[in-house]
Amino acid sequence: MINIQEAIKIAGEMFIEREGRKMEDGDEFIAVFKNCAVTASNKDGELKIRFTDNVPLIIDADVDIYSEE
């Protein structure tokens, strides 16, 4: 089992690996662990971290939110 600081570090490193950069203003991501999920957001230069013990429900479907109308 890992501690909270290590969980945040791992999630941040995975964000950098995926995006190729550090978080910038307006960025947000969710990381899912075995027993919880964490939401990290950067607004106005302030990093906000929120853990929840509710693991997300995974739905195998695409939602049409990124296409142009």
Side-chain angles (χ1 to χ4, degrees):
M1 189 171 293
I2 61 176
N3 64 39
I4 292 173
Q5 289 80 14
E6 191 172 356
I8 294 168
K9 180 182 175 195
I10 291 168
E13 289 171 351
M14 290 183 75
F15 176 87
I16 292 169
E17 183 178 318
R18 184 183 70 186
E19 300 295 323
R21 61 179 174 79
K22 292 184 178 183
M23 288 183 76
E24 298 173 355
D25 193 41
D27 285 342
E28 178 179 64
F29 70 85
I30 299 169
V32 179
F33 295 88
K34 288 183 178 180
N35 64 341
C36 66
V38 62
T39 302
S41 62
N42 184 344
K43 184 172 182 182
D44 298 327
E46 183 178 346
L47 180 63
K48 295 185 180 185
I49 304 289
R50 183 173 159 265
F51 280 89
T52 179
D53 62 355
N54 295 321
V55 177
L57 303 171
I58 306 299
I59 301 168
D60 188 20
D62 291 329
V63 179
D64 186 18
I65 61 172
Y66 298 110
S67 65
E68 294 182 23
E69 307 256 357

